[in-house]
Amino acid sequence: MNKSCWRSKISPTKNYRLTWYKDLGLHAFGEFSMAMIQANSVMEDQCQIESGPLTFNNPAVQGTFIGVYGGHGGPEASRFIAGNLFLNLKKFASEGGEVSEEVMRNAFAETDEDFLSAVKKLLVCN
């Protein structure tokens, strides 16, 4: 589905490349699809879709998590967020039994702290 949609949007003067797509996944209210198209020589942005259980211990807590993370000057932070934010959300949602504003705040805060810690370790080693 996505392949046919993005082809019509390509500029003849730019070299865009489809880097990632998810066709017709299911969520509570129907279907979704998503595509990521690279316009620069280095893909700095990241995106993710997670649909299903939002906790590790209660499969009844269901939802669809969509993340779009801008690289703005480098891919490291957006890649880190894509690899950690949803897991932190599931961790805090598992502890609280639901997804709430507090769970979201805690997931973002822990992801931020973990990234800053990783950066500090790199700076000390260099």
Side-chain angles (χ1 to χ4, degrees), residues 16 30 59 61 69 75 83 103 107 112:
Y16 294 106
V61 180
Y69 317 114
V103 164
D112 189 47

Side-chain angles (χ1 to χ4, degrees), residues 26-28 32 49-55 58-65 86 89-90 99:
L26 297 175
H27 66 87
F32 64 87
I49 297 176
E50 307 288 346
S51 195
L54 296 178
T55 67
N58 185 355
V61 180
Q62 296 275 320
T64 301
F65 175 89
F86 182 67
L89 174 97
K90 284 184 83 165
V99 177

Side-chain angles (χ1 to χ4, degrees), residues 37-115:
I37 298 174
Q38 180 175 343
N40 300 328
S41 60
V42 175
M43 175 55 83
E44 296 176 339
D45 303 333
Q46 296 291 309
C47 61
Q48 75 183 110
I49 297 176
E50 307 288 346
S51 195
L54 296 178
T55 67
F56 292 118
N57 56 3
N58 185 355
V61 180
Q62 296 275 320
T64 301
F65 175 89
I66 300 171
V68 179
Y69 317 114
H72 306 299
E76 293 80 9
S78 60
R79 287 181 186 157
F80 187 89
I81 294 168
N84 292 277
L85 180 58
F86 182 67
L87 293 175
N88 286 333
L89 174 97
K90 284 184 83 165
K91 179 180 95 171
F92 287 109
S94 296
E95 292 170 5
E98 66 179 355
V99 177
S100 64
E101 182 178 342
E102 181 181 358
V103 164
M104 293 295 291
R105 287 182 190 277
N106 290 340
F108 273 94
E110 182 153 316
T111 303
D112 189 47
E113 290 169 17
D114 291 347
F115 181 72

